[in-house]
């Protein structure tokens, strides 16, 4: 059967549009991503993705992104990310030292690194396009939003990104309704029996900066390790709320005293927080190891519960 010339031309054009070459052109599209280490042209909808940053993994997991490899040898994933300890994901090294041989053999088309692997960025970029979508504690909410939207754009998950961010912001609004009148707060980390306190604008300043708790005290330094304080300092600051992160528990260290044991002393017992039973032990693994969208959502759920409970106390 002979087709009319116009129809033959149309069929030929259609066959070209459906050819592997045409698909390759579509799949070859890239998006320019500005991140902590610079600007990188990233392939859209990459299929072989390695995530070295637990915070980024927290976000990609929330978006429903499939990955092939993650750090395992030094990562203690919190419960909501525990599946990544399984055999479905190859071991990409540690949080600080990627396994370059394993990464090269895996042939990823995108590596999502982070602050802990900062020194390895150059070598990682030689294997595949690499980005470091770190969160900025000085503008936490803006950077969380930006990173989630960027990852949504890379993976074609823009609508999902809008959905999870809307839910996240709704949680913030709910907590802020109560936090403004809840009294003062102090964010503490217990590490090896020692105490560190965090200010607004610091690594764990979320309690103040986003959730709206009034800080019981402030510090000039806002570094990752906080400010060393004593039980006497905590007593004198006299917060109404103590939010506590147990670093030893977060990294799986079993020796030494727990955060509960360290804080159970005569000086801390004099604080309003202790007297009102408003010492809140946070999910340390989620916050310290991961610290992404889902981690902070879980934190807000916990904070909302204790705020609601405090309203029923005499």
């Amino acid at each position: 059967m002979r087709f009319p010339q116009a129809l033959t031309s149309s069929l030929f054009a259609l066959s070209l549009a459906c050819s592997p070459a045409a698909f390759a052109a579509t799949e070859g599209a890239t998006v320019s991503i500005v991140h902590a280490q610079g600007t990188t042209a990233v392939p859209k909808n990459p299929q072989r993705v390695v995530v070295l940053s637990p915070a980024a993994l927290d976000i990609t997991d929330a978006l429903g992104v499939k990955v092939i490899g993650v750090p395992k040898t030094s990562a203690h994933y919190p419960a909501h990310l525990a599946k990544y300890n399984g055999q479905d994901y190859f071991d990409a090294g540690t949080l600080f030292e990627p396994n370059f041989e394993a990464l090269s053999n895996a042939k990823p088309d995108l590596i999502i690194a982070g602050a802990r692997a900062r020194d390895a960025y150059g070598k990682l970029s030689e294997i595949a396009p690499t980005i470091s979508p770190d969160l900025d504690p000085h503008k936490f909410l803006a950077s969380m939003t930006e990173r989630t939207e960027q990852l949504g754009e890379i993976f074609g998950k823009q609508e999902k990104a809008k959905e999870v961010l809307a839910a996240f912001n709704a949680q913030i609004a709910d907590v802020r309704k109560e936090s403004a009148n809840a009294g003062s707060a102090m964010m503490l980390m217990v590490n090896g029996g020692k105490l560190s306190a965090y200010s607004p604008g610091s690594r764990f300043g979320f309690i103040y900066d986003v959730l709206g708790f009034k800080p019981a005290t402030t510090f000039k330094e806002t570094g990752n390790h906080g400010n060393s304080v004593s039980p006497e300092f905590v007593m004198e600051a006299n917060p109404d709320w103590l939010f506590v992160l147990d670093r030893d528990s977060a990294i799986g260290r079993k020796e030494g005293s727990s955060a509960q044991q360290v804080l159970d002393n005569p000086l801390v017992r004099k604080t309003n927080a202790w007297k009102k039973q408003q010492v809140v032990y946070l999910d340390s693994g989620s916050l310290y190891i991961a610290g992404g969208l889902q981690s902070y959502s879980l934190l807000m759920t916990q904070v909302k519960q204790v705020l609601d409970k405090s309203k029923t106390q005499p």
Side-chain angles (χ1 to χ4, degrees), residues 53-60 62 78 80-81 116 133 135 140 144 147-148 168 206 285-300:
S53 161
L57 183 65
D58 197 326
I59 299 173
T60 57
H80 69 281
L81 298 177
R116 291 180 174 102
L135 299 175
F140 178 89
M144 178 71 82
R147 296 319 189 191
T148 303
F168 192 75
F206 181 84
S286 177
L287 195 58
Y288 186 81
I289 297 298
L293 192 78
Q294 295 179 91
S295 295
Y296 281 95
S297 176
L298 290 168
L299 179 148
M300 286 191 286

Side-chain angles (χ1 to χ4, degrees), residues 32 44 55 101 111 138 140 142 145 170 206 211 231 261 263 281 307:
S32 183
K44 279 200 168 187
E101 182 178 0
I111 298 173
H138 299 291
F140 178 89
T145 300
F206 181 84
L211 297 189
Q261 291 170 320
L263 291 177
Y281 297 95
L307 283 171

Side-chain angles (χ1 to χ4, degrees), residues 158-178:
Q158 292 94 332
E159 290 305 312
K160 184 64 174 179
K162 289 179 182 178
E163 176 187 322
V164 296
L165 285 171
F168 192 75
N169 287 320
Q171 279 190 285
I172 293 170
D174 277 348
V175 173
R176 290 185 69 94
K177 289 176 184 176
E178 300 182 39

Side-chain angles (χ1 to χ4, degrees), residues 189-212:
M189 182 169 72
V190 180
N191 179 22
K194 298 180 180 180
L195 304 178
S196 296
Y198 289 83
S199 274
S202 68
R203 179 181 182 183
F204 298 115
F206 181 84
I207 290 290
Y208 320 109
D209 302 330
V210 179
L211 297 189

Side-chain angles (χ1 to χ4, degrees), residues 196-248:
S196 296
Y198 289 83
S199 274
S202 68
R203 179 181 182 183
F204 298 115
F206 181 84
I207 290 290
Y208 320 109
D209 302 330
V210 179
L211 297 189
F213 282 91
K214 176 185 175 182
T217 187
T218 58
F219 304 89
K220 291 182 179 179
E221 298 297 325
T222 59
N224 280 348
H225 302 292
N227 297 267
S228 179
V229 298
S230 65
E232 183 178 12
F233 180 92
V234 176
M235 178 192 70
E236 292 175 351
N238 194 24
D240 295 300
W241 292 87
L242 274 172
F243 294 100
V244 185
L245 188 153
D246 188 336
R247 183 180 182 275
D248 292 334

Side-chain angles (χ1 to χ4, degrees), residues 244-259:
V244 185
L245 188 153
D246 188 336
R247 183 180 182 275
D248 292 334
S249 172
I251 64 175
R253 183 185 295 159
K254 300 186 183 299
E255 64 273 13
S257 301
S258 67

